[in-house]
Amino acid sequence: MKRIMLTLILLMGIGGYTSYAQSELSLQECLKYALANNQQLARTRMEEDMGRFKTSEVRARALPQVNAQGQYTNNIKKQVIPVPGEFAGGAPGTTLLLEAGVTHNVTASGTVTQEVYNQSVFTGLKAAKAGEDYYRMQTAQSEETVIYNVTQLYYSTLVSREKTIVLDANIEKMTKLVETTSSQVENGLARKIDLDRMRVNLTNYKTQRTQAQNQFQLQSNQLKQMMGMAVTNPINLPSTSFKEIESKATAADFGGMNLDNRIEYRLLKKQEELQAFQKKAYLAEYYPSLALSGNYSYNGISNKFDMLKSKSNGSTASWYDMAAVSLTLKIPIFDGWARRSRVGQANVALKQIKKDMEATTLSLNTQFENAKLQVQNNLSTIKAQKENVDLANEVYNSTQNNYNLGLANLTDLLDAETSLVSAQNNYNEALLQYKLAELDIVKSNGNLKSLLN
């Protein structure tokens, strides 16, 4: 029975794996998988968790600080205090040695401290909250980076596969041509040198096909790595996805770029806010601070170790307690201009962030304009390459007919075929460049997460 159950489990596991391996992954599915499994993104999310703990740590400074302490002391050799003999009724000029303290001493104490007014603590609380937002924004930036990279690799992988499909079609055509020409050579209707040239071209196509297949495999592995998927896990991409690009390759209203939608710019704004809080924290060091504290202790002393006994049982221990409340006011007066130097550093850091924001604004606007130009140029290229493919296909078919009728030589046919393959690959590359430029437009508008829908 155990063997039967084990066999069923194994079969179910193999069946589930095969079903997953054969399923086709759309771009949206790849992106969702990557957001859930990308290792670098997972690390960034841990940094976000770290930010929340840091906020809690800073918030703790504004809460009461409570501590308790217990201490037992055994005065094995007590301190001796010399006193004049006449103080204890002795002869003048003599010295008596008196032992100080008792042998056993037990103390239990507790302290409570509360910041009443400390500008640095209050500023730190606001800064910690802003820091938590900063970590969340870093996570959002990492998510956008993963989406962008996975999308790039997804379309690049589709192009590599399309090149393989093109080569497969040409290998099939050349194989049929070799078979036909081989028969003609046997019957004395064609030259052997023509057959050899065809075989050379066929071998070249097979070599190119192997290279294209290797390139496809490499890009598939890169895609799986970016997704956080095991490289040994096979994936299938939809066969129609790449061809759909052509029908969707149309001019669009790109609109204007909103800097507030770009995570890079928002991160700089948040850095500016954090640096402003840092400056306020340095300025807060000029303010006085006020703290309230209280402590209580309960002490037991005895020359015998009988402090756990009660008086009724003959204990010689004496117990007493102490309590105190204090209000501490600290007024900073002079620190050698250290605070002034820290404030100056904060001012310089704010100016640096301002310059970074100006440079980022210029860079993002340039990226947006360049992406629009790339999309428009690629649309024109797609149209031209599509016409070129149709023309090359027409030339090839015409040349093939003429070759079969003996009106064209083999060189013309092979040249026409080479031109057709080149036109098809150029067309596929143009579609890829269009999708990559379109991706840059989406990124420039801050809408990368729309690709998940």
Side-chain angles (χ1 to χ4, degrees):
M1 184 65 183
K2 289 183 178 179
R3 290 183 178 178
I4 295 174
M5 290 298 296
L6 179 59
T7 303
L8 287 174
I9 292 172
L10 289 173
L11 288 174
M12 290 173 64
I14 294 172
Y17 177 79
T18 303
S19 174
Y20 175 76
Q22 292 178 349
S23 63
E24 294 182 341
L25 291 177
S26 65
L27 174 61
Q28 289 74 23
E29 290 170 330
C30 287
L31 292 176
K32 290 176 182 177
Y33 188 97
L35 291 179
N37 297 278
N38 181 271
Q39 288 83 6
Q40 186 59 43
L41 182 55
R43 179 177 176 83
T44 306
R45 286 176 177 144
M46 292 178 189
E47 292 290 340
E48 184 179 346
D49 293 337
M50 186 75 74
R52 285 193 289 269
F53 287 122
K54 287 181 178 180
T55 300
S56 298
E57 180 184 7
V58 174
R59 187 180 295 116
R61 295 176 58 192
L63 299 176
Q65 307 296 305
V66 181
N67 294 287
Q69 180 178 338
Q71 183 178 5
Y72 163 73
T73 303
N74 187 330
N75 297 304
I76 300 173
K77 192 171 182 63
K78 301 184 185 70
Q79 181 182 357
V80 175
I81 302 176
V83 296
E86 56 266 31
F87 285 1
T94 62
T95 301
L96 294 178
L97 298 179
L98 302 180
E99 287 186 339
V102 293
T103 304
H104 302 284
N105 190 329
V106 175
T107 302
S109 62
T111 60
V112 179
T113 304
Q114 172 65 56
E115 294 282 356
V116 178
Y117 177 80
N118 190 324
Q119 191 64 31
S120 296
V121 173
F122 302 148
T123 303
L125 287 172
K126 296 178 182 178
K129 185 61 179 176
E132 196 172 337
D133 294 338
Y134 180 78
Y135 283 112
R136 277 197 294 268
M137 293 170 66
Q138 279 191 320
T139 300
Q141 184 182 38
S142 294
E143 289 175 349
E144 289 192 1
T145 300
V146 169
I147 291 172
Y148 184 84
N149 291 338
V150 168
T151 304
Q152 272 193 327
L153 287 169
Y154 184 86
Y155 285 116
S156 297
T157 305
L158 287 176
V159 168
S160 294
R161 187 185 62 185
E162 196 70 13
K163 289 180 179 179
T164 303
I165 294 173
V166 169
L167 288 168
D168 284 340
N170 283 280
I171 288 172
E172 183 180 357
K173 287 189 294 185
M174 184 59 69
T175 300
K176 291 180 180 178
L177 188 58
V178 167
E179 292 173 354
T180 302
T181 305
S182 179
S183 178
Q184 291 175 343
V185 169
E186 291 176 1
N187 295 322
L189 300 176
R191 298 182 302 172
K192 184 176 183 301
I193 190 172
D194 291 340
L195 177 61
D196 291 340
R197 291 179 63 188
M198 291 179 187
R199 285 173 173 166
V200 169
N201 269 32
L202 178 59
T203 301
N204 289 337
Y205 280 140
K206 289 180 178 178
T207 301
Q208 293 174 20
R209 202 268 183 197
T210 301
Q211 293 172 346
Q213 183 64 29
N214 289 339
Q215 181 67 19
F216 169 74
Q217 192 60 50
L218 287 173
Q219 290 180 329
S220 295
N221 290 342
Q222 290 177 338
L223 176 61
K224 286 185 279 188
Q225 179 186 359
M226 184 56 62
M227 290 169 58
M229 179 183 289
V231 72
T232 55
N233 192 4
I235 60 172
N236 290 327
L237 304 182
S239 57
T240 59
S241 295
F242 191 77
K243 295 187 179 298
E244 288 176 356
I245 298 175
E246 178 185 349
S247 61
K248 295 179 180 179
T250 57
D253 181 15
F254 304 124
M257 189 191 69
N258 185 356
L259 282 173
D260 291 333
N261 286 341
R262 293 302 299 268
I263 189 66
E264 299 95 330
Y265 187 79
R266 297 207 311 271
L267 275 169
L268 285 173
K269 292 283 287 183
K270 186 59 66 174
Q271 285 181 19
E272 183 183 36
E273 181 183 355
L274 286 169
Q275 190 58 49
F277 279 127
Q278 183 63 70
K279 178 182 175 180
K280 289 181 179 179
Y282 291 148
L283 290 172
E285 294 177 8
Y286 286 99
Y287 294 90
S289 62
L290 185 65
L292 176 65
S293 62
N295 65 76
Y296 173 83
S297 66
Y298 192 60
N299 306 274
I301 57 176
S302 176
N303 281 317
K304 297 180 181 180
F305 194 76
D306 57 357
M307 287 171 290
L308 300 179
K309 297 181 180 180
S310 62
K311 288 289 186 180
S312 60
N313 290 328
S315 174
T316 61
S318 299
W319 291 90
Y320 62 95
D321 58 354
M322 295 185 298
V325 176
S326 62
L327 197 62
T328 304
L329 176 66
K330 285 182 63 177
I331 302 176
I333 297 176
F334 181 72
D335 65 349
W337 294 289
R339 287 186 293 268
R340 185 180 68 177
S341 298
R342 287 193 287 271
V343 172
Q345 293 174 41
N347 285 329
V348 173
L350 282 170
K351 291 178 182 178
Q352 289 175 330
I353 294 175
K354 284 287 187 184
K355 289 299 178 182
D356 289 342
M357 292 173 65
E358 291 175 7
T360 300
T361 300
L362 181 61
S363 175
L364 294 179
N365 281 317
T366 302
Q367 290 175 18
F368 178 64
E369 294 300 324
N370 287 344
K372 288 196 299 183
L373 288 174
Q374 283 290 91
V375 168
Q376 293 166 353
N377 291 338
N378 287 324
L379 284 172
S380 301
T381 303
I382 288 173
K383 182 179 179 182
Q385 290 298 335
K386 176 61 176 174
E387 294 173 353
N388 195 37
V389 169
D390 294 338
L391 180 60
N393 198 44
E394 183 180 340
V395 169
Y396 174 78
N397 291 332
S398 177
T399 305
Q400 186 180 39
N401 289 332
N402 289 337
Y403 176 77
N404 293 334
L405 295 173
L407 301 177
N409 57 38
L410 179 62
T411 299
D412 294 335
L413 178 61
L414 296 180
D415 288 344
E417 187 177 37
T418 301
S419 297
L420 177 58
V421 173
S422 177
Q424 289 170 327
N425 286 332
N426 289 339
Y427 175 65
N428 292 335
E429 187 66 25
L431 288 176
L432 171 63
Q433 294 304 319
Y434 165 77
K435 288 305 295 182
L436 296 182
E438 187 182 59
L439 178 62
D440 286 334
I441 287 288
V442 176
K443 180 180 179 181
S444 296
N445 288 329
N447 294 321
L448 279 173
K449 289 191 176 180
S450 65
L451 298 174
L452 292 167
N453 304 322

